[in-house]
Amino acid sequence: MTGVQTCALPIYKRGLKYVIGISFNGIIDKYPEEVEELVSSGALAMTYEGREAIEHGGEDVYYFSTNHPLWQETLIEQAKRIVGLKADGIAVIAPWGSSFYASYEGRPDFSNASLEGFRAYLRNRYSSQELSAKGISNLETFNYLDYLHNRDIGEDKLESAPLYKDYREFQRKSALEFYKRFVSEVKEYARSKGIDNFPIAPANHGDWLLPLMLNSLPYSDFAFTNLDSEDFVHDYDCHTFEYKLLYSAVKARPVATFVDASFGWLVQNSSRPEDMMQIKMAEAYANKGAFQDQYRAGLTGAGFIGYSIDAQAVNKVNSFYLGHKDLFNIGSRSLAKVAVLLSAKSVTGVESKHWSMFKKVCRILTASHHQYDVILSQDSSFAPNTLTLEKLRQYEVIILPENQRLDSKAVSLIPEYLARGGKVIIVNQVDPKLSLPTGTAYTVINWEPDLSKSGWERNKEFLDVMDNMLDKSVSEDSLPREVGIQVWQDGNKILVHLINYEFSLNEGVIEKENIPVSLNLPLPKRPASVKVLSPDFGEEKITDYTFSDSHLQLVVPELKIWYILVIE
């Protein structure tokens, strides 16, 4: 913690805001005293083969079990020291704790602390007769690791092993209970120091790990999402769905941040990496998000450290945001008529069909310029479920992308939503417990989304079904596919964000010209004006438009990266 203090206090003195990360999984060997005590106490996580979870390299990484009391106390004490460093919050890295170790094929911890916790879980879940039927004669001496090894179950067969689903469930619930305790105790400590609301949020590394955060989101103040290198080179392969999901879960600004390897890769392979930085910043701000860039020289003020990048080009986006904060009201209303339902119960892991299909459907909606929101239907055994009929009825169409397991609220509310005139699109499979009333407007389609330019025609059936269900789409599909659009209403203003996603490693952003914009808006009369604002130019511009029967049309003469149409 001495190194953190050395860096943090000068940042605080400069008046900058900063959040300090703390990992629930592990610690590097830079801190020998803490490591030695934890290792000697048996707090190390254990692999399925019975090895201590230590990753050797330039700096050894020690992975610990969040089921071990000393590791729990160590994390809470570290967090209290962070409060004392006057940080603006804590980002919890790997909030899923012992339930998942990426360095060990995503396996959970098999240490004595976890095996003991699993015995308590089984004691509460099953009767002695049920345990006996599962081959457990004496729960007090039962060791799940020995149980598996005695059956010669290889690591590649674990997913189908007896009691393994129970073991996963135990680890997830145990990790969530500790996360809740961590948040509660650290916030209480902060209040004792005069800080009424000390923010704590889970941080993930790329959307592939986001499913593991879902259970912790309802207990968090905001959320982080990281961008990976592959995200920088695909047309319209954007992260809009992450911002929408995280905002839906925590009702606060999600924060995007670049990761080391990704940013270094981008700089080394692109002639204009600052263009992609500006695109990703625009995407964050246009979706009620914020943007953190961990490559600023916070202590020296020298811009970007060690990278060939035009810092001024990037800074102008933040300056624009700070100078027009009235355009980024967190309370602005979405005009989306479509919602995609993410069911936490269907997200069984980072490779689940539901999570994969959810991402693809959202990206198809973005690329086809349909305004959509995300509804998170949380598994009530983990976290409070905020799904209501009123929330569903805000939308004309609800999409269920491979929702193979729905929680009880969704199973009861979706039929009622249909009975009251709602419309549902089921992609491929759905939970068999979901009853679909006869004569209601639902459609089941078998479909594999295709985001490639050559395969776009494969999405036609899905898009045709949705367009037929909608009364009128907010944004008619007149835009080039590489241009993203987000529409919000804030009081008497409608805000339309246009983002140019077409980016070439060799040329940077590829500018667009004469872009037709066609919108169906909830306006009772002709708007007084349509202004165009952008960090790409200085003063606001007034643009010509036509308006008839709530239908507004205009042509944007040119689009470099990010324009905002302000309709008043």
Side-chain angles (χ1 to χ4, degrees):
M1 192 61 72
T2 303
V4 175
Q5 185 170 357
T6 302
C7 294
L9 291 182
I11 294 173
Y12 170 73
K13 288 176 181 178
R14 288 188 60 194
L16 300 176
K17 295 195 174 196
Y18 63 98
V19 173
I20 296 178
I22 186 169
S23 173
F24 275 16
N25 263 176
I27 189 171
I28 59 177
D29 60 3
K30 281 184 178 178
Y31 313 102
E33 293 180 4
E34 291 179 352
V35 168
E36 184 178 343
E37 183 181 3
L38 287 161
V39 170
S40 63
S41 72
L44 271 173
M46 300 293 287
T47 70
Y48 181 63
E49 295 85 0
R51 290 184 288 106
E52 292 180 333
I54 304 173
E55 187 177 334
H56 297 289
E59 293 175 330
D60 291 343
V61 180
Y62 292 76
Y63 294 102
F64 296 103
S65 172
T66 44
N67 290 306
H68 196 284
L70 182 59
W71 179 234
Q72 293 179 354
E73 294 306 320
T74 299
L75 291 171
I76 290 171
E77 287 307 309
Q78 284 182 342
K80 289 178 179 179
R81 290 161 73 182
I82 288 172
V83 172
L85 293 176
K86 303 185 184 301
D88 292 281
I90 289 175
V92 177
I93 302 163
W96 46 84
S98 296
S99 66
F100 184 96
Y101 291 90
S103 297
Y104 296 97
E105 303 298 325
R107 300 295 179 208
D109 163 48
F110 286 93
S111 69
N112 287 333
S114 286
L115 297 174
E116 181 180 344
F118 187 47
R119 285 193 290 272
Y121 170 89
L122 292 174
R123 187 178 296 111
N124 291 328
R125 180 170 175 79
Y126 295 110
S127 67
S128 56
Q129 292 82 3
E130 289 172 322
L131 290 171
S132 180
K134 296 176 185 295
I136 303 173
S137 56
N138 186 348
L139 187 58
E140 301 307 315
T141 59
F142 173 67
N143 183 301
Y144 184 51
L145 194 57
D146 292 343
Y147 175 91
L148 294 172
H149 287 166
N150 291 339
R151 285 163 172 74
D152 293 324
I153 295 173
E155 192 166 9
D156 60 332
K157 305 293 184 184
L158 271 176
E159 295 299 331
S160 58
L163 293 173
Y164 191 66
K165 286 185 179 178
D166 280 307
Y167 195 66
R168 282 287 201 193
E169 180 88 349
F170 149 69
Q171 290 283 17
R172 286 195 292 265
K173 285 190 173 182
S174 175
L176 178 63
E177 287 305 313
F178 174 64
Y179 181 83
K180 290 161 62 177
R181 176 191 159 202
F182 175 89
V183 170
S184 175
E185 291 194 21
V186 174
K187 282 180 174 287
E188 181 60 36
Y189 176 80
R191 282 192 289 271
S192 74
K193 300 297 180 183
I195 305 171
D196 288 336
N197 186 22
F198 184 76
I200 300 175
N204 73 305
H205 298 282
D207 65 45
W208 72 285
L209 284 176
L210 184 53
L212 299 172
M213 291 170 52
L214 294 179
N215 296 323
S216 60
L217 290 175
Y219 304 100
S220 305
D221 298 293
F222 59 100
F224 282 96
T225 180
N226 289 17
L227 311 180
D228 299 323
S229 59
E230 66 178 22
D231 305 318
F232 304 144
V233 293
H234 302 303
D235 295 339
Y236 53 77
D237 191 14
C238 60
H239 286 73
T240 297
F241 75 91
E242 288 194 60
Y243 295 107
K244 291 183 181 296
L245 167 59
L246 295 175
Y247 177 75
S248 170
V250 300
K251 293 296 184 289
R253 292 196 190 281
V255 180
T257 179
F258 279 98
V259 292
D260 295 357
S262 303
F263 189 65
W265 180 94
L266 177 67
V267 173
Q268 292 166 16
N269 290 275
S270 170
S271 61
R272 289 191 55 79
E274 58 271 10
D275 284 358
M276 179 52 78
M277 285 281 286
Q278 291 177 81
I279 291 171
K280 289 301 176 185
M281 294 169 81
E283 182 179 71
Y285 293 137
N287 286 284
K288 294 190 177 182
F291 193 91
Q292 174 196 1
D293 145 33
Q294 53 198 12
Y295 299 96
R296 302 296 172 126
L299 302 181
T300 66
F304 293 86
I305 304 176
Y307 294 114
S308 173
I309 188 168
D310 182 356
Q312 187 174 358
V314 177
N315 286 336
K316 73 178 183 182
V317 180
N318 280 332
S319 297
F320 174 80
Y321 170 77
L322 293 172
H324 299 85
K325 292 194 77 170
D326 59 313
L327 303 180
F328 302 96
N329 181 6
I330 194 72
S332 56
R333 184 173 71 89
S334 167
L335 295 184
K337 299 180 179 181
V338 177
V340 185
L341 184 79
L342 181 69
S343 170
K345 202 167 186 177
S346 289
V347 181
T348 54
V350 295
E351 296 178 353
S352 71
K353 287 184 178 180
H354 175 47
W355 176 246
S356 175
M357 184 60 73
F358 165 77
K359 292 191 293 183
K360 291 175 182 177
V361 167
C362 290
R363 282 172 167 153
I364 292 293
L365 292 173
T366 298
S368 59
H369 309 116
H370 285 89
Q371 301 302 294
Y372 72 94
D373 290 338
V374 171
I375 296 175
L376 175 61
S377 182
Q378 188 66 279
D379 184 346
S380 56
S381 67
F382 284 108
N385 194 333
T386 58
L387 186 66
T388 62
L389 181 61
E390 289 70 29
K391 184 179 291 187
L392 293 175
R393 293 193 68 197
Q394 291 175 21
Y395 305 97
E396 293 181 20
V397 178
I398 302 293
I399 301 173
L400 304 180
E402 293 266 13
N403 296 68
Q404 297 173 357
R405 296 175 68 207
L406 292 167
D407 58 78
S408 57
K409 263 198 172 181
V411 168
S412 65
L413 291 176
I414 291 172
E416 190 172 352
Y417 165 77
L418 280 166
R420 296 198 180 196
K423 301 162 189 176
V424 170
I425 298 175
I426 296 168
V427 180
N428 298 340
Q429 303 178 59
V430 73
D431 191 326
K433 295 194 299 294
L434 180 65
S435 173
L436 299 167
T438 304
T440 55
Y442 69 88
T443 299
V444 181
I445 66 169
N446 294 309
W447 169 52
E448 180 57 38
D450 193 332
L451 277 162
S452 69
K453 291 180 180 178
S454 59
W456 186 256
E457 193 64 24
R458 296 174 190 168
N459 307 313
K460 189 174 185 304
E461 179 188 358
F462 167 76
L463 294 172
D464 285 348
V465 167
M466 190 170 60
D467 286 339
N468 288 333
M469 285 185 167
L470 286 171
D471 178 26
K472 286 181 180 178
S473 181
V474 177
S475 171
E476 296 183 356
D477 197 13
S478 60
L479 296 166
R481 198 164 296 142
E482 298 82 9
V483 175
I485 182 170
Q486 295 297 324
V487 185
W488 304 95
Q489 183 167 14
D490 185 14
N492 65 347
K493 293 195 295 268
I494 290 178
L495 307 166
V496 182
H497 296 262
L498 299 174
I499 302 174
N500 182 5
Y501 282 100
E502 190 163 11
F503 174 84
S504 162
L505 288 174
N506 295 325
E507 304 172 48
V509 71
I510 300 170
E511 296 186 28
K512 303 287 185 184
E513 294 182 347
N514 298 321
I515 302 166
V517 180
S518 183
L519 303 167
N520 293 301
L521 301 173
L523 295 173
K525 60 183 181 179
R526 181 182 177 86
S529 67
V530 178
K531 302 173 185 176
V532 184
L533 294 91
S534 172
D536 297 330
F537 52 77
E539 298 298 319
E540 67 181 34
K541 299 178 180 179
I542 307 294
T543 187
D544 294 330
Y545 64 95
T546 63
F547 181 82
S548 176
D549 192 24
S550 300
H551 186 210
L552 185 144
Q553 290 182 295
L554 57 88
V555 174
V556 175
E558 60 180 2
L559 173 63
K560 184 179 179 183
I561 293 178
W562 178 29
Y563 283 10
I564 303 176
L565 306 178
V566 182
I567 303 167
E568 295 190 82

